[in-house]
Amino acid sequence: YQFSSALVPQYARFLIAHFGWRDAYIGLGLYVLVLGVPVLTLFFRESPALIASRQMRRAGNAPAAGDIVGVSVWNALHGVPFWLCFFGVLLTSIVNTSMGAHTVELMRDRGFPDTTAATVQTFIAIGGLCMQTISGPLLDRVNTPRVGLPILAVAWIGLMLMHHGGAVPLYILGAAMFGAGAALTVVPIRLTIV
């Protein structure tokens, strides 16, 4: 996901510059069809446990009580951890979507050319890609929700650099920090569920 997000701003800028913004939508749709659909078709499969569970249900065999892990939907909806996770994911999604949709325009409003704006947008994805590659080992070594505060601080510092930065390197650094922090905000949520 992050790798594709790093490519799209430059690709979209190219399409808009050469074909106009209306035809750029067609090019972005083709991007999804040509790259996204084959990747999903070739590499994503359902887990063997899920397939076995479905086959057991179809055969009329319910899984044993010891095989079911977790809590019921009713208990989850009435528990604080569920709502903390829900609102954490909701707010993170709102901020990430807002930054993704408006970074290029914010950079344009500050007088930067489209190439610079697209580059800053690309560095949000690159920061996220870099941090997601270390999130697995991080979760293996650190088993506490306290890891969330430094991660959110990285994202917040990145936002402040993007808001107050005056030079392109500061915007790029801020974008990478925001992307890194935003990509790992799922870590505290995963730690509270485990």
Side-chain angles (χ1 to χ4, degrees):
Y1 170 75
Q2 294 291 340
F3 180 73
S4 178
S5 296
L7 298 176
V8 168
Q10 300 298 334
Y11 177 62
R13 184 192 57 78
F14 171 81
L15 290 174
I16 291 169
H18 290 87
F19 302 107
W21 67 270
R22 288 187 176 127
D23 291 335
Y25 279 108
I26 296 169
L28 289 171
L30 290 173
Y31 177 84
V32 171
L33 284 175
V34 170
L35 292 177
V37 172
V39 167
L40 288 173
T41 305
L42 294 172
F43 297 111
F44 287 92
R45 302 278 185 258
E46 298 217 27
S47 73
L50 182 63
I51 293 171
S53 172
R54 283 186 189 152
Q55 290 172 346
M56 286 177 63
R57 276 186 293 202
R58 285 185 190 134
N61 301 329
D67 293 340
I68 300 173
V69 179
V71 298
S72 69
V73 174
W74 180 258
N75 288 337
L77 290 173
H78 288 89
V80 173
F82 172 80
W83 292 106
L84 288 174
C85 292
F86 175 80
F87 284 109
V89 169
L90 177 69
L91 295 174
T92 300
S93 297
I94 290 170
V95 171
N96 287 346
T97 302
S98 299
M99 285 301 295
H102 299 290
T103 299
V104 172
E105 284 303 318
L106 290 170
M107 295 299 292
R108 279 180 170 168
D109 287 346
R110 293 179 178 169
F112 291 101
D114 289 345
T115 54
T116 302
T119 300
V120 169
Q121 179 73 34
T122 298
F123 270 89
I124 291 175
I126 290 172
L129 178 65
C130 291
M131 288 302 275
Q132 283 182 348
T133 57
I134 67 165
S135 67
L138 177 68
L139 286 174
D140 290 341
R141 289 181 179 83
V142 181
N143 191 19
T144 175
R146 290 186 190 112
V147 75
L149 185 60
I151 292 168
L152 292 174
V154 168
W156 183 79
I157 291 168
L159 280 173
M160 291 301 103
L161 282 173
M162 290 181 70
H163 181 68
H164 297 291
V168 173
L170 287 176
Y171 286 115
I172 289 175
L173 177 63
M177 289 177 72
F178 171 75
L184 280 185
T185 52
V186 74
V187 170
I189 295 165
R190 286 175 60 187
L191 286 171
T192 56
I193 293 173
V194 171

